[in-house]
């Protein structure tokens, strides 16, 4: 069998591939077979890892007031589409204007390094942040939320966590409504309201304030409201937090 080769035959090992009760299967394991199986195992591990990681999040790249429902105004999208239920929408430079109802996994509202203006989420209809069924986190460390009418706004669904942070940063809330059905954690920065906005902390939801913060309002406009039907907790801080809305 090895007459054509002058090399010493590779010792044959046997590798078990499965062992049902009472049955044992095996096949010859040469060095060449071992290398092939090792490569297949490595390739499988890489594919498994790559499918378990989310792709780069969609990043807002439209002009101020650009159409946020158009995938052409976002980079790092899936098949050129606007952010969807499994995505985290990153808005850190200019305003993204939504029209109609949309469902997105999570939000990153911020101000990017080198941005010409802070990130802004605006428009009409309702933008729902669902968590994508995988607990996708939403963050708001600066920037603005401003919708056209009191019936327009954003909803953070049950099971979704919204972190409001950013030392010394302003979180402007200048139009529409925010509805929290999950868990909101306010750890830093001011919340500056205007134009009669409404923040609703729904039944079963939590809003936790862990520092001495201020919810202000622009006295030249209508005072906003904070409707608490859930659990509002001041968990830490040296003194009191202040709110100027009703």
């Amino acid at each position: 069998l090895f007459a054509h080769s002058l090399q010493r035959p590779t010792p044959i090992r046997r590798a078990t591939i499965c062992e049902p009760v009472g049955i044992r299967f095996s096949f010859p394991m040469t060095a060449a077979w071992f290398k092939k199986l090792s490569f297949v195992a490595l390739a499988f591990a890489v594919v498994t890892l790559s499918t378990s990681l989310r792709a780069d999040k969609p990043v807002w790249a439209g002009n101020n007031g650009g159409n946020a429902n158009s995938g052409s105004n976002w980079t790092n999208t899936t098949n050129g589409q606007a952010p969807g239920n499994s995505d985290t929408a990153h808005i850190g430079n200019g305003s993204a204007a939504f029209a109609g109802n949309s469902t997105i996994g999570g939000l990153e509202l911020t101000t990017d390094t080198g941005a010409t203006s802070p990130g802004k989420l605006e428009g009409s209809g309702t933008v729902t942040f669902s968590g994508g069924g995988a607990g996708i986190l939403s963050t708001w460390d600066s920037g603005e939320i401003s919708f056209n009418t009191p019936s327009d706004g954003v909803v953070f669904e049950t099971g979704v966590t919204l972190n409001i942070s950013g030392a010394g940063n302003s979180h402007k809330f200048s139009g529409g409504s925010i509805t929290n059905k999950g868990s909101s954690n306010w750890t830093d920065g001011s919340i500056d309201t205007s134009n009669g906005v409404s923040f609703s902390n729904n039944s079963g939801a939590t809003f936790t304030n862990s520092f001495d913060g201020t919810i202000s309002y622009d006295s030249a406009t209508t005072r906003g409201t904070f409707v608490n039907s859930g659990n509002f907790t001041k968990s830490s801080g040296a003194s009191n937090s202040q709110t100027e809305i009703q």
Side-chain angles (χ1 to χ4, degrees):
L1 188 62
F2 294 97
H4 66 283
S5 174
L6 297 179
Q7 296 179 349
R8 182 181 178 183
T10 302
I12 294 178
R13 291 170 288 177
R14 291 188 174 271
T16 300
I17 56 174
C18 60
E19 289 190 70
V21 176
I23 304 174
R24 183 180 180 89
F25 294 96
S26 63
F27 64 92
M29 175 65 88
T30 65
W33 268 107
F34 186 79
K35 287 179 65 177
K36 289 179 181 179
L37 288 179
S38 297
F39 177 79
V40 171
L42 177 60
F44 178 78
V46 170
V47 170
T48 302
L49 177 61
S50 65
T51 55
S52 67
L53 298 177
R54 289 208 313 271
D56 288 344
K57 58 181 71 69
V59 175
W60 175 246
N63 297 320
N64 275 321
N67 179 9
N69 300 99
S70 172
S72 63
N73 285 324
W74 299 84
T75 61
N76 296 333
T77 62
T78 301
N79 299 323
Q81 299 178 344
N85 188 53
S86 61
D87 297 314
T88 299
H90 178 96
I91 305 173
N93 186 9
S95 57
F98 287 87
N101 298 332
S102 301
T103 299
I104 303 173
L107 170 68
E108 285 184 358
L109 186 57
T110 186
T111 303
D112 292 337
T113 301
T116 56
S117 59
K120 183 178 181 181
L121 175 60
E122 64 177 0
S124 60
T126 300
V127 179
T128 299
F129 295 100
S130 66
I136 298 175
L137 180 70
S138 288
T139 59
W140 182 12
D141 65 26
S142 64
E144 183 175 359
I145 295 176
S146 182
F147 278 74
N148 294 348
T149 72
S151 61
D152 303 319
V154 297
V155 174
F156 296 94
E157 272 292 356
T158 302
V160 171
T161 297
L162 167 65
N163 288 337
I164 306 171
S165 61
N169 291 349
S170 171
H171 307 82
K172 292 184 178 180
F173 180 24
S174 57
S177 64
I178 296 175
T179 301
N180 175 43
K181 296 182 178 181
S183 302
S184 291
N185 303 305
W186 179 27
T187 60
D188 227 326
S190 62
I191 300 175
D192 302 311
T193 71
S194 57
N195 301 315
V197 295
S198 172
F199 192 111
S200 296
N201 193 45
N202 279 16
S203 176
T206 62
F207 188 97
T208 304
N209 169 211
S210 59
F211 77 115
D212 299 331
T214 299
I215 303 176
S216 69
Y217 96 103
D218 182 353
S219 60
T221 68
T222 303
R223 190 187 299 269
T225 58
F226 190 109
V227 180
N228 182 40
S229 301
N231 186 10
F232 187 113
T233 302
K234 174 75 159 60
S235 63
S236 59
S239 185
N240 299 322
S241 289
Q242 299 179 4
T243 177
E244 298 175 359
I245 61 176
Q246 300 171 329

